[in-house]
Amino acid sequence: MKRLFHILLLLIFIPTTASAGRITKKEGRVKILTDDNLRGKIVRTTPEGIPVNSLVKTYRRSKAFVILSEKTHIVLLEKSILFIENSKTIDQENGTVLYKIKKYGQTSGITVKTPVSIIGVKGTMFAITVNKQNADIFLKKGSLSIKSPEKEFEVYRLKTLKEFSDFQRKFEQYQNRTIEEFKKYKKKIQEEFLFYTREFVLPPGKSVSIKGNKVYIKNTIPEEIEKNFKLLEYFRRSQ
């Protein structure tokens, strides 16, 4: 009886690692890095648990399918790095990651951070590409609240090719002027300044490029990203 009591005490005080989620499927080479293992653990079989405060990293021609909660499904494409603080706070450091998040109702959703933005999410489908200090955000469904981590955003709208007709007509007029004048004119005609803000809401079907504190809103989502969104549907059906 005394021996059993000692075993129970040991079980109670053995430290356990809290889980933020799990990798349910993977293709190619995928690693999980933690403070205890900075070189990383190669994911060989799935499902594989993801501890809190850990990195998930994919390599060339690799993918990782991640569930943080039953409401949050994520796909890391190749050469992506995601720091997962917990099931509701994510920091995307590099690469392209797809997100599908079921509606959280009145409760707070999740937060996705990039080097240049803090994104509040309750229920939506979107993708983010991070490259150094730039981020491109593509919204398929729902809406996103995008906040600057530091100073105000300068928000611009990038004009479509159809809006360049006036530019094309005036092109010849600028050919005889200096190249520098022409570059300034071209930039002005392509970008329409909208407003300054610390935070804005992105509607569905649009995308933004964030470079430092400058935000460029586009009315379309690239075809390649549209194709990648199908991975989220495949993810859902395969569960």
Side-chain angles (χ1 to χ4, degrees):
M1 186 70 181
K2 189 175 181 182
R3 181 183 176 87
L4 178 61
F5 178 71
H6 286 158
I7 292 172
L8 289 172
L9 278 178
L10 285 172
L11 290 173
I12 290 171
F13 290 103
I14 288 174
T16 58
T17 303
S19 175
R22 62 192 185 275
I23 298 174
T24 61
K25 290 186 178 182
K26 64 101 178 181
E27 296 177 11
R29 192 164 185 251
V30 178
K31 272 188 177 183
I32 297 175
L33 293 79
T34 62
D35 287 339
D36 297 331
N37 186 358
L38 296 178
R39 293 185 65 181
K41 173 186 176 182
I42 297 175
V43 178
R44 301 191 185 279
T45 60
T46 55
E48 177 73 46
I50 303 172
V52 297
N53 294 319
S54 60
L55 280 174
V56 178
K57 182 177 181 180
T58 57
Y59 290 79
R60 187 169 177 264
R61 295 180 181 175
S62 301
K63 295 185 183 72
F65 295 78
V66 173
I67 290 181
L68 297 189
S69 71
E70 296 311 311
K71 291 183 179 292
T72 304
H73 291 189
I74 298 170
V75 180
L76 285 78
L77 302 186
E78 68 171 354
K79 299 180 181 178
S80 297
I81 300 175
L82 206 62
F83 178 69
I84 300 174
E85 293 183 32
N86 52 56
S87 62
K88 287 196 172 184
T89 307
I90 304 163
D91 193 337
Q92 185 175 330
E93 298 185 5
N94 194 64
T96 298
V97 179
L98 313 170
Y99 300 84
K100 185 173 184 181
I101 298 160
K102 296 179 182 177
K103 193 169 178 62
Y104 273 81
Q106 298 303 315
T107 61
S108 60
I110 73 167
T111 300
V112 180
K113 302 175 185 177
T114 77
V116 289
S117 64
I118 301 170
I119 304 168
V121 187
K122 280 196 173 182
T124 185
M125 184 190 294
F126 63 101
I128 301 176
T129 296
V130 172
N131 179 16
K132 296 181 181 179
Q133 294 300 308
N134 302 327
D136 293 302
I137 303 168
F138 313 94
L139 181 57
K140 179 71 172 177
K141 297 178 182 178
S143 64
L144 294 176
S145 172
I146 302 173
K147 184 178 181 181
S148 171
E150 297 180 359
K151 56 185 179 180
E152 287 187 327
F153 285 133
E154 291 180 24
V155 182
Y156 296 82
R157 181 176 71 96
L158 287 182
K159 297 183 178 180
T160 63
L161 290 174
K162 290 181 180 178
E163 295 175 274
F164 287 153
S165 57
D166 182 57
F167 168 70
Q168 296 292 342
R169 285 195 301 269
K170 295 183 179 180
F171 179 82
E172 292 182 1
Q173 298 174 21
Y174 278 80
Q175 280 183 312
N176 295 327
R177 300 188 184 183
T178 66
I179 293 175
E180 193 61 35
E181 283 181 329
F182 177 70
K183 286 181 178 178
K184 289 179 181 178
Y185 174 74
K186 184 178 178 182
K187 184 176 180 181
K188 181 181 177 182
I189 206 73
Q190 286 177 319
E191 302 172 1
E192 177 188 356
F193 175 74
L194 298 179
F195 50 80
Y196 291 101
T197 185
R198 279 294 306 276
E199 186 173 3
F200 67 94
V201 174
L202 182 68
K206 296 184 183 295
S207 58
V208 295
S209 291
I210 304 177
K211 300 177 181 181
N213 74 316
K214 290 190 175 182
V215 174
Y216 301 94
I217 298 178
K218 305 173 185 178
N219 290 323
T220 58
I221 296 173
E223 186 177 345
E224 182 181 358
I225 297 295
E226 289 280 13
K227 289 179 180 178
N228 285 332
F229 278 128
K230 294 179 181 178
L231 288 169
L232 288 167
E233 295 302 324
Y234 160 75
F235 191 5
R236 179 184 61 81
R237 291 196 303 270
S238 64
Q239 297 309 304

